[in-house]
Amino acid sequence: MSSPFHTFWQKWKSLQLPWRKRWLAGADLAGNQYYYFRPHASAKPRRILQQNPRIPYSDIAIPVQWHQWLRHTRSTAPTLQELESDETRKEQLKVLVAAADQRWASKPSVLDQPRRRNQELGVGDGEGSIGVVGRKGESPNAAVDGGDAQRLGEGVKGEDVRDSWGEGEKGRGENPWVKARPRGAGEGYQPESWQPPGVGR
């Protein structure tokens, strides 16, 4: 709480006397003071800031209310009671945001649903991996019958199952999609080698 002398001094500096070029408009919670400034009697008053000399220049934080006043988007200067109520509102908002973050973190995530569903059904290892359809603790090849295991491991009649369109050494033939793809008139054109013409005499 300010002393009576300090209150009197603030009121004295805020008086708009004829010989004064500047007069006090108010102050913020950090001790920065804001003034009306008039270079001469016929000039329109300007709005300036006088920083607190005890605060480093890089650490000065101007409140939003005083920013609006300096830029002439606010006609009246903010009071200390208004600034204190705004700081109280910010502290309450921080508490509410922290509580909301805790509630959000306690809710199940959509990304964890496949893994949790597999663990409830006892399917796979709970990681949601593709191709593992056996029970938990079961080897991946246990859910495949003998014929499929032989086909996957050794192949059928010497065919390479991993490459069924002729890209392997023992494929099944050409890729049918290559034949179905439309071809242009000059797609298979190969230019001939250039030969210089004979020189006539």
Side-chain angles (χ1 to χ4, degrees):
M1 184 176 180
S2 59
S3 63
F5 177 77
H6 182 267
T7 304
F8 173 77
W9 180 246
Q10 295 292 326
K11 289 183 178 180
W12 168 254
K13 291 195 298 183
S14 62
L15 293 178
Q16 186 177 354
L17 301 176
W19 62 83
R20 280 183 174 174
K21 290 187 176 181
R22 69 174 189 174
W23 58 96
L24 183 66
D28 56 16
L29 299 177
N32 301 314
Q33 295 182 349
Y34 303 84
Y35 287 87
Y36 289 101
F37 172 72
R38 185 169 53 191
H40 47 85
S42 61
K44 183 179 179 180
R46 302 176 183 176
R47 300 176 179 183
I48 60 175
L49 162 67
Q50 181 179 348
Q51 68 181 45
N52 188 353
R54 299 180 180 179
I55 302 177
Y57 185 78
S58 59
D59 296 340
I60 294 178
I62 302 176
V64 178
Q65 294 83 354
W66 280 113
H67 247 302
Q68 296 173 347
W69 182 82
L70 288 172
R71 295 180 177 274
H72 295 269
T73 57
R74 177 180 177 139
S75 58
T76 59
T79 61
L80 292 177
Q81 291 77 10
E82 181 183 353
L83 298 177
E84 290 175 355
S85 61
D86 187 63
E87 291 297 326
T88 304
R89 181 190 62 83
K90 291 180 181 179
E91 295 298 330
Q92 295 175 354
L93 184 61
K94 290 180 182 179
V95 175
L96 295 177
V97 169
D101 290 341
Q102 292 180 358
R103 291 195 303 268
W104 182 263
S106 62
K107 291 183 179 181
S109 176
V110 180
L111 301 177
D112 296 338
Q113 288 183 0
R115 179 181 301 178
R116 187 177 296 107
R117 183 63 177 170
N118 289 348
Q119 291 177 352
E120 292 175 359
L121 297 177
V123 177
D125 56 358
E127 296 295 334
S129 57
I130 301 175
V132 180
V133 295
R135 293 289 179 180
K136 186 176 181 180
E138 208 172 18
S139 62
N141 293 332
V144 185
D145 56 8
D148 292 339
Q150 182 180 4
R151 182 180 183 85
L152 293 174
E154 301 176 359
V156 179
K157 296 181 181 181
E159 296 176 353
D160 190 356
V161 181
R162 294 173 299 175
D163 192 354
S164 59
W165 285 339
E167 298 178 0
E169 297 179 356
K170 299 179 180 180
R172 295 183 177 179
E174 297 181 357
N175 187 349
W177 299 106
V178 177
K179 294 182 178 181
R181 183 165 58 89
R183 294 176 175 271
E187 185 173 351
Y189 170 77
Q190 295 293 336
E192 298 179 357
S193 58
W194 179 80
Q195 297 291 339
V199 179
R201 294 184 179 178

